[in-house]
Amino acid sequence: NAGVTQTPKFRILKIGQSMTLQCTQDMNHNYMYWYRQDPGMGLKLIYYSVGAGITDKGEVPNGYNVSRSTTEDFPLRLELAAPSQTSVYFCASSLDAREGSSYNSPLHFGNGTRLTVT
Amino acid sequence: KNEVEQSPQNLTAQEGEFITINCSYSVGISALHWLQQHPGGGIVSLFMLSSGKKKHGRLIATINIQEKHSSLHITASHPRDSAVYICAVRSQGAQKLVFGQGTRLTINP
């Protein structure tokens, strides 16, 4: 019962460095999401994916890239880290069907990655 | 104006009190979610509803589609209920959720 697993839990980056936040789920969910949460703010969608090979931008995609080569994995890449990317990042997944009642299925969240860019 | 507004932003109460957190939204929705974020940061889905009322233990969620409003109630509140409670809505036809800013609840013993 691993659910959604995110790594690492914490990371400190210098400006200009790059890193990949890993996210994997074992529930065979087709939808996966990356959110960032800034202090005192609501969750903001960075990117999402509706299935393997398909990704789309959310509200705040600039400075990030994603890929979805398998159903299980949805890594988030920061190429040139900036202080504005200091945040807590959450990966989530859900089983959203295109039809039927499971279209609105609950979200399952990872435990988050706290990233500081200095 | 945000699409999803929660009130209050902060709420402090004594153990045993009845708690109500409100969520108002401005768009037609296909579903509304209530989430709980613990002090350690983890986020758990509490309810997903599109009409009526749902109950789980001491938690009750209601939604009024006509008034575009939902409430989360906690009966017999306990210090372990201290957390941030987040409302999120999925607009009709959309694949994404829009989140409220959260309500920080503190229950004192």
Side-chain angles (χ1 to χ4, degrees):
Chain A
N1 276 350
V4 179
T5 303
Q6 280 184 246
T7 57
K9 291 185 179 179
F10 304 94
R11 185 72 187 267
I12 299 174
L13 284 181
K14 295 190 185 303
I15 294 172
Q17 286 186 320
S18 61
M19 77 164 292
T20 299
L21 282 68
Q22 301 291 348
C23 176
T24 187
Q25 52 90 11
D26 61 358
M27 297 171 282
N28 204 30
H29 285 172
N30 49 343
Y31 277 45
M32 295 188 75
Y33 310 82
W34 274 107
Y35 296 96
R36 59 178 287 172
Q37 185 179 39
D38 300 324
M41 305 293 287
L43 290 156
K44 299 285 187 186
L45 182 65
I46 305 171
Y47 271 95
Y48 68 103
S49 169
V50 303
I54 306 169
T55 62
D56 209 346
K57 295 178 180 178
E59 304 168 72
V60 289
N62 291 343
Y64 306 95
N65 279 300
V66 293
S67 59
R68 185 91 181 272
S69 56
T70 66
T71 299
E72 294 78 19
D73 300 308
F74 190 41
L76 178 72
R77 179 84 177 160
L78 283 72
E79 290 293 350
L80 289 171
S84 61
Q85 293 177 306
T86 294
S87 189
V88 180
Y89 292 83
F90 288 96
C91 178
S93 72
S94 68
L95 182 62
D96 282 50
R98 297 193 185 278
E99 297 177 12
S101 61
S102 57
Y103 173 72
N104 282 305
S105 66
L107 279 174
H108 297 258
F109 283 84
N111 287 329
T113 296
R114 187 174 297 274
L115 175 67
T116 303
V117 182
T118 60
Chain B
K1 188 180 189 302
N2 293 332
E3 286 185 45
V4 182
E5 295 274 357
Q6 287 185 237
S7 63
Q9 290 190 356
N10 294 283
L11 177 58
T12 300
Q14 291 300 119
E15 183 173 357
E17 287 188 35
F18 181 81
I19 303 298
T20 296
I21 298 170
N22 297 299
C23 176
S24 296
Y25 51 91
S26 56
V27 297
I29 66 167
S30 59
L32 182 143
H33 297 250
W34 280 104
L35 308 168
Q36 180 191 52
Q37 185 169 24
H38 295 285
I43 301 176
V44 174
S45 178
L46 296 175
F47 294 104
M48 181 183 63
L49 62 167
S50 54
S51 65
K53 174 180 173 178
K54 287 191 176 181
K55 184 176 189 294
H56 185 253
R58 294 179 295 106
L59 274 61
I60 303 166
T62 64
I63 188 168
N64 185 317
I65 296 295
Q66 286 73 29
E67 295 187 3
K68 292 186 168 61
H69 181 268
S70 175
S71 292
L72 177 67
H73 304 287
I74 305 174
T75 61
S77 60
H78 190 276
R80 64 174 174 266
D81 297 326
S82 297
V84 176
Y85 292 84
I86 302 168
C87 172
V89 303
R90 187 190 299 276
S91 302
Q92 289 168 341
Q95 296 169 330
K96 299 169 283 189
L97 290 173
V98 177
F99 291 82
Q101 291 186 324
T103 295
R104 183 174 299 277
L105 174 66
T106 303
I107 304 296
N108 293 319

